[in-house]
Amino acid sequence: MTNNPEYFKAERDQEWRVALRSQIKNKERTSRERVKMPEQDPNIRNKNSLEVNLGLTEEQAVSEAQRCIDCPNPTCITGCPVGINIPKFIKYIEARDFLSAAKTLKETNSLPAVCGRVCPQEVQCEAQCFYTQKLKKPAVAIGHLERFAADFERNSGKISIPEIAERNNIKVAVIGSGPGGLAAAGDLVKMGYSVTVFEALHEIGGVLKYGIPEFRLPNDIVDVEINNLRKMGVEFITNFVVGKTSSFEDLKAKGYVAFFTASGAGLPRFMNIPGENYVGIFSSNEYLTRVNLMGAAKADYDTPVLFGKNVAVIGGGNTAMDSVRTAKRLGAERAMIVYRRSLDEMPARIEEIHHAQEEGIEFMNLNSPVEYFADESGRVNRMRLQKMELGEPDSSGRRRPVPLTSSEYDVDVDMVVVSVGVSPNPLIPSAVDGLNITKWGTIHVNPDNMQSNISDLFAGGDIVRGGATVILAMGDGRNAAAGIHAYIQQTLVN
Amino acid sequence: MIDLSTKYIGLHLKNPIIAASSGLTANIENIKKLESNGVAAIVLKSIFEEEILQQEKDLKNEVQKDSLIYSELSETLDYIDIHIKEDTLNVYLELIRKAKKETLIPIIASINCVTNYEWTDFAKKIESAGADALELNIFLNPVDTSDKDFEKTYIEITKNVTKKVSIPVSVKISQYHTKPAHVIQKLSETGATGIVLFNRFYTPDINLEKLELTQANHFSNENEYLNVLRWIALMSKKINCDLAASTGIHSAETIIKQILAGASAVQIASVLYSKGIDYVSVLLKELENWMEKHNYNYLNQIKGKLSQEKIQDPAAFERMQFMRYFSGIE
Ligand SMILES: Cc1cc2nc3c(=O)[nH]c(=O)nc-3n(C[C@H](O)[C@H](O)[C@H](O)COP(=O)(O)OP(=O)(O)OC[C@H]3O[C@@H](n4cnc5c(N)ncnc54)[C@H](O)[C@@H]3O)c2cc1C
Ligand SMILES: Cc1cc2nc3c(=O)[nH]c(=O)nc-3n(C[C@H](O)[C@H](O)[C@H](O)COP(=O)(O)O)c2cc1C
């Protein structure tokens, strides 16, 4: 990744960029309104699984790109975990050279079509944009533009397959096929390694496939990326649980000399309250996986257990929003968010909260479940909620929810999705003797190269960060690929 | 052959010495060591509501230091208090299971609670993990200046917990009550099978050189048993549940005194720290020696022998004693 200021300056000083800047006055650029992403109508989209956001038109994209004033000191880049050369790709859009824009994105981001859709730009690049920082106006829609360029390239059929170094027949194993694993595999195969990705599930893509729903990230977009990796020579083996199907030792015996673990944080957490074991109460992980991967949402699929009339989702994060909006799409009459703090404290992205509200999701803020009840067959039919108020701020500065005494009341539900967080799956950490694990159960690595204390084992993504974002997982994957390369060069080749 | 056995909250104890809840009863190695030195039962280190809050703070600080751990937008961190609690409780349940598996003596779990509703569900889990009894270490801070009715909270917590579990429940109380006799009486009527008199609190002191507040000794001294003795003697025959004496019990003589006053058992902590866990065997030996010397074969022969059972009105009795005590002094 090239992200030093001189490089960005040299790029900015190129003739075409200088010329482009002079075409429109800054005053004119900054007086424009931020583009609005075209969306499906809320009352239609809450009954289908098509993408909510429809994508910018060429004209919209060019006009939005013109808002960017191509700052001499592009602070937006500092907000991007993988240091995308943001002004450069945006200026290519302004110049209508969309394929070059996509190529610029791919210099540092292997999955721009995905990131353009799911990155929390409002706390990353867009939070550091000149508009946000200095003008106190809505930021340039960097995320929308990223998506536009990536989609344009894909639809043009001219996706460039990167050059691959000569194969060196050195075998490297990647564990997990989420964004972390895919990014590492992409870089390693480019360097000439023989890369095998082992995936426990039958589908490749990790959370991109089984977590984030179709209406936010269509599966075919992920598939295009996976197919590219296949074309580049990455081998995928599914239904293969490292640590169970085979141990690390078995894999070493088969010739793998280094490992990148991106096994995610897929172990659901619960609240540990009475009745949480009743039928009809799921973790968001199980619920979304079943709906997304196992075709459970299709009409001919016989799992009535996944359809609820009155569905409560416990939690206020993105997973909670994805779950509740999925429940609505599967026909829930009442789809409720039950969250113990107020709307302002919700960790979910504002866009997701807003979309959910438009789609008719009920928000029961300052409420927390204390117990569930079931009918004779053991299926949940009622939950007891307790009202909360916000007390003193805790150490992180957020106000702590405090129960109001004698405020309990009951609400009818026939399905509950618990979305209160996850922890790292302990299988891999416990499969390796002597591996350094943090208090969180995450794998401890050197942040420079993602190497663990076991020298041939590298790790990244949620298994290291305890639940992060697509872009961070990807950045880790790339970082680890470079680390693995250096490690192999040092220990094996020399 | 001297028989030191006694019954306490329905548990058969081979002698009256219980290891009180302390740092020494927090891990399986010490628990086994206590057993092999002869203690009759163990009260595990309490699980503290406050401690869970502290851990939450520590963990959050750690997150802020670790650049790799991601905290923004994280649902896991959003509910971290609940997760920490769950993890802490699971560790505690595991300790109960282990202690039950690796020892033969009764294991009494201990919850330090300040609120009413949070712990009743956990009490059930403690029961299913195999604990023989549960001690509620209800900690209502005596320096609280609000008009909150502490006695009522004690009773409510006890009532809720005893309703939920079928193992015996004892309550460990502090000596700070406006009317200890009333509280003890009420608790015994509420369903507590035993009451532990008393817990001992952190005591501040002043360092005269540095002119700053310090923490006085963590450990009791051997004269601190007197107030306990008084209340055991006053109450043991007036209530229909067992009493255990705690605080300041450092010698076999003090144990005998508490039993004579009517305690069913004693709980010791400080002396285990100052003299070591092996000191239990010395205490047991000395107990036997005293019994032998005084021609008793069974502990039950002396239990409650010197309780003030005839006293109908303890307040009047105390006033009388006070008058007599000081009347000769000029
Ligand atoms: C519902 C949901 C919505 C989200 N929305 C967003 C969003 O909008 N924006 C955003 O940036 N982030 C979002 N995230 C977070 C983001 O998806 C994750 O941070 C990211 O996917 C982590 O990538 P990863 O490669 O570390 O792991 P994952 O994507 O979790 O992939 C790990 C893979 O490893 C496999 N695996 C595990 N153990 C083994 C084993 N022993 N052997 C073989 N394979 C194994 C798993 O099956 C899985 O496929 C969301 C997460 C969820 C759950
Ligand atoms: C280091 C230490 C830790 C203690 N921890 C607890 C506890 O967790 N729960 C509790 O109910 N009492 C606790 N106590 C109090 C003891 O159980 C006991 O009631 C008190 O120390 C008085 O008895 P002693 O004079 O024999 O020490 C602790 C005491 C000490 C010294």
Side-chain angles (χ1 to χ4, degrees):
Chain A
M1 278 173 247
T2 321
N3 51 9
N4 63 64
E6 287 89 65
Y7 164 76
F8 291 130
K9 185 170 180 319
E11 292 264 316
R12 183 176 182 272
D13 288 344
Q14 284 187 2
E15 236 170 79
W16 69 273
R17 293 263 294 264
V18 178
L20 209 55
R21 281 199 292 278
S22 65
Q23 275 175 17
I24 305 174
K25 287 211 174 66
N26 275 354
K27 205 163 165 210
E28 150 82 36
R29 290 180 190 271
T30 55
S31 65
R32 294 206 192 152
E33 295 284 309
R34 174 180 158 121
V35 69
K36 199 172 165 338
M37 172 60 84
E39 293 166 357
Q40 268 198 79
D41 180 85
N43 270 320
I44 296 173
R45 71 178 190 236
N46 66 10
K47 295 173 196 71
N48 67 41
S49 62
L50 302 177
E51 231 189 322
V52 171
N53 288 344
L54 300 171
L56 303 181
T57 63
E58 281 187 29
E59 289 324 305
Q60 282 174 317
V62 171
S63 164
E64 182 64 17
Q66 287 168 345
R67 283 182 76 222
C68 168
I69 58 170
D70 200 4
C71 305
N73 174 22
T75 42
C76 51
I77 300 177
T78 62
C80 176
V82 296
I84 292 179
N85 190 340
I86 293 169
K88 181 177 166 190
F89 100 79
I90 291 184
K91 290 303 112 178
Y92 271 132
I93 294 180
E94 183 177 340
R96 292 184 177 272
D97 184 355
F98 306 132
L99 287 177
S100 295
K103 210 164 154 213
T104 305
L105 287 165
K106 286 193 163 169
E107 284 169 14
T108 54
N109 180 346
S110 21
L111 307 171
V114 173
C115 291
R117 287 173 165 79
V118 302
C119 265
Q121 292 98 4
E122 66 281 3
V123 295
Q124 298 180 338
C125 52
E126 293 182 14
Q128 303 303 323
C129 173
F130 181 76
Y131 279 74
T132 320
Q133 293 280 322
K134 295 281 157 34
L135 304 180
K136 309 289 170 215
K137 283 185 177 177
V140 172
I142 303 171
H144 296 348
L145 291 173
E146 179 180 28
R147 169 186 164 150
F148 170 80
D151 285 358
F152 183 91
E153 186 199 38
R154 194 180 59 256
N155 295 332
S156 72
K158 292 186 194 134
I159 297 190
S160 53
I161 302 289
E163 274 176 42
I164 312 252
E166 202 183 318
R167 296 295 280 264
N168 59 21
N169 293 323
I170 300 175
K171 286 166 85 172
V172 178
V174 170
I175 300 153
S177 67
L182 294 180
D187 275 15
L188 286 164
V189 82
K190 274 192 257 175
M191 294 177 210
Y193 294 99
S194 300
V195 183
T196 311
V197 178
F198 295 98
E199 170 53 54
L201 297 174
H202 67 268
E203 247 328 306
I204 299 161
V207 171
L208 303 180
K209 278 278 184 66
Y210 68 73
I212 307 178
E214 189 73 10
F215 59 84
R216 282 211 296 131
L217 177 64
N219 279 347
D220 15 332
I221 286 173
V222 184
D223 283 332
V224 170
E225 305 293 344
I226 294 167
N227 282 336
N228 283 342
L229 289 172
R230 276 215 174 89
K231 282 186 205 150
M232 286 156 69
V234 175
E235 181 191 11
F236 289 96
I237 300 184
T238 52
N239 296 313
F240 192 106
V241 186
V242 176
K244 212 184 228 166
T245 319
S246 272
S247 68
F248 279 90
E249 295 312 315
D250 297 337
L251 293 177
K252 276 185 202 167
K254 288 199 178 125
Y256 292 96
V257 298
F259 300 86
F260 176 61
T261 296
S263 51
L267 194 69
R269 306 225 54 157
F270 284 89
M271 290 181 66
N272 221 356
I273 57 175
E276 234 172 5
N277 294 331
Y278 288 134
V279 181
I281 302 184
F282 302 89
S283 69
S284 52
N285 259 46
E286 184 186 351
Y287 177 66
L288 289 172
T289 306
R290 287 225 207 177
V291 174
N292 292 340
L293 277 199
M294 306 187 183
K298 301 204 177 87
D300 56 350
Y301 196 91
D302 184 28
T303 50
V305 83
L306 283 173
F307 295 89
K309 220 166 72 175
N310 298 311
V311 182
V313 175
I314 317 300
N318 285 319
T319 317
M321 294 306 141
D322 284 344
S323 304
V324 78
R325 294 171 72 197
T326 299
K328 186 83 195 170
R329 282 163 172 76
L330 293 186
E333 284 166 22
R334 266 188 103 177
M336 304 162 253
I337 282 283
V338 177
Y339 182 58
R340 59 185 182 153
R341 295 185 169 90
S342 72
L343 207 60
D344 291 340
E345 277 91 15
M346 282 198 169
R349 292 181 66 189
I350 297 163
E351 185 188 20
E352 305 307 327
I353 296 175
H354 181 68
H355 277 156
Q357 284 171 325
E358 285 178 343
E359 288 165 13
I361 305 300
E362 257 178 79
F363 281 73
M364 305 174 76
N365 283 90
L366 292 168
N367 272 291
S368 190
V370 286
E371 186 164 2
Y372 300 105
F373 302 91
D375 60 20
E376 315 78 60
S377 68
R379 180 164 178 135
V380 65
N381 63 4
R382 200 156 45 92
M383 64 178 172
R384 180 154 298 159
L385 297 182
Q386 181 168 46
K387 292 199 171 142
M388 314 291 271
E389 60 181 352
L390 292 179
E392 296 291 310
D394 63 15
S395 55
S396 64
R398 276 151 43 99
R399 294 175 65 193
R400 185 183 290 285
V402 189
L404 279 169
T405 37
S406 311
S407 65
E408 287 94 350
Y409 65 105
D410 290 359
V411 176
D412 286 343
V413 285
D414 52 3
M415 201 172 96
V416 175
V417 180
V418 181
S419 185
V420 299
V422 286
S423 42
N425 193 322
L427 184 61
I428 299 270
S430 62
V432 183
D433 268 350
L435 183 64
N436 238 338
I437 311 289
T438 67
K439 264 195 197 160
W440 293 87
T442 55
I443 298 178
H444 187 79
V445 296
N446 172 352
D448 297 332
N449 59 4
M450 312 310 284
Q451 188 172 27
S452 73
N453 64 321
I454 308 285
S455 60
D456 56 3
L457 182 65
F458 293 69
D462 284 2
I463 186 72
V464 161
R465 297 174 182 273
T469 60
V470 171
I471 188 93
L472 285 169
M474 243 182 53
D476 289 351
R478 303 205 62 199
N479 213 344
I484 289 174
H485 180 57
Y487 164 76
I488 291 178
Q489 295 303 313
Q490 270 163 22
T491 55
L492 297 178
V493 181
N494 295 333
Chain B
M1 182 69 193
I2 306 290
D3 180 0
L4 291 177
S5 71
T6 175
K7 245 182 134 175
Y8 169 63
I9 56 172
L11 306 173
H12 180 79
L13 307 186
K14 60 186 179 193
N15 67 58
I17 303 182
I18 299 175
S21 174
S22 82
L24 293 177
T25 61
N27 67 64
I28 192 71
E29 286 72 33
N30 282 336
I31 290 171
K32 278 158 67 177
K33 207 166 152 202
L34 283 160
E35 180 188 38
S36 63
N37 278 284
V39 300
I42 285 174
V43 186
L44 298 178
K45 171 90 186 136
S46 309
I47 183 161
F48 281 84
E49 205 169 339
E50 264 93 351
E51 205 164 40
I52 291 175
L53 295 178
Q54 185 56 41
Q55 273 191 47
E56 179 189 340
K57 220 165 153 179
D58 294 348
L59 217 50
K60 278 187 177 156
N61 286 342
E62 204 169 289
V63 176
Q64 271 143 19
K65 272 189 271 157
D66 188 336
S67 63
L68 281 181
I69 288 183
Y70 181 78
S71 53
E72 247 162 325
L73 312 181
S74 161
E75 289 171 323
T76 311
L77 272 183
D78 194 32
Y79 279 86
I80 196 70
D81 49 338
I82 284 176
H83 303 324
I84 289 177
K85 186 159 160 194
E86 186 184 354
D87 293 346
T88 313
L89 300 186
N90 283 337
V91 168
Y92 198 69
L93 295 175
E94 195 46 43
L95 178 68
I96 297 175
R97 282 186 212 108
K98 249 201 169 132
K100 276 315 291 174
K101 211 167 121 204
E102 300 190 19
T103 67
L104 294 170
I105 50 177
I107 298 295
I108 304 169
S110 165
I111 313 182
N112 175 299
C113 34
V114 284
T115 50
N116 185 353
Y117 49 85
E118 291 259 352
W119 295 96
T120 42
D121 191 51
F122 184 50
K124 270 204 305 213
K125 291 191 173 143
I126 284 184
E127 178 175 32
S128 28
D132 296 290
L134 174 60
E135 186 172 289
L136 297 175
N137 171 8
I138 305 176
F139 181 74
L140 300 174
N141 199 338
V143 300
D144 187 326
T145 52
S146 71
D147 61 356
K148 201 157 73 191
D149 189 341
F150 279 5
E151 277 75 21
K152 211 167 122 195
T153 311
Y154 266 90
I155 305 297
E156 266 173 17
I157 296 179
T158 311
K159 208 188 262 168
N160 284 346
V161 173
T162 47
K163 242 186 353 211
K164 287 259 171 153
V165 297
S166 48
I167 49 175
V169 176
S170 60
V171 183
K172 187 177 188 181
I173 65 173
S174 83
Q175 31 192 315
Y176 303 104
H177 288 280
T178 35
K179 290 194 282 181
H182 173 73
V183 174
I184 294 167
Q185 185 97 50
K186 255 327 236 203
L187 283 173
S188 80
E189 287 163 9
T190 305
T193 7
I195 302 173
V196 184
L197 309 180
F198 294 107
N199 208 343
R200 187 175 179 273
F201 290 107
Y202 149 87
T203 28
D205 198 352
I206 288 174
N207 181 322
L208 287 178
E209 290 311 311
K210 294 188 183 154
L211 287 186
E212 62 184 26
L213 275 182
T214 58
Q215 144 104 62
N217 208 341
H218 286 90
F219 303 119
S220 63
N221 67 46
E222 61 205 22
N223 300 321
E224 279 181 48
Y225 72 91
L226 287 165
N227 194 40
V228 177
L229 189 66
R230 164 202 304 218
W231 285 104
I232 300 263
L234 279 172
M235 299 308 293
S236 62
K237 288 282 160 70
K238 297 194 65 204
I239 54 175
N240 47 17
C241 75
D242 294 336
L243 292 179
S246 163
T247 293
I249 298 164
H250 289 229
S251 67
E253 280 97 60
T254 319
I255 297 176
I256 305 277
K257 289 181 192 174
Q258 301 289 6
I259 306 284
L260 283 167
S264 301
V266 299
Q267 296 194 358
I268 57 172
S270 294
V271 72
L272 295 174
Y273 281 94
S274 61
K275 302 225 167 112
I277 289 177
D278 343 351
Y279 194 63
V280 175
S281 43
V282 177
L283 289 175
L284 286 170
K285 192 76 215 132
E286 286 176 7
L287 275 181
E288 282 183 12
N289 290 347
W290 187 91
M291 299 268 292
E292 220 161 45
K293 194 170 151 203
H294 294 85
N295 289 323
Y296 293 112
N297 290 326
Y298 305 99
L299 198 72
N300 277 337
Q301 288 173 285
I302 63 165
K303 187 182 160 209
K305 213 173 159 58
L306 296 179
S307 75
Q308 290 155 349
E309 65 186 299
K310 308 255 151 40
I311 302 160
Q312 285 308 319
D313 182 355
F317 175 78
E318 286 279 308
R319 266 197 314 273
M320 282 293 286
Q321 301 301 324
F322 181 82
M323 256 164 47
R324 283 190 198 148
Y325 183 60
F326 287 110
S327 61
I329 299 175
E330 292 181 8

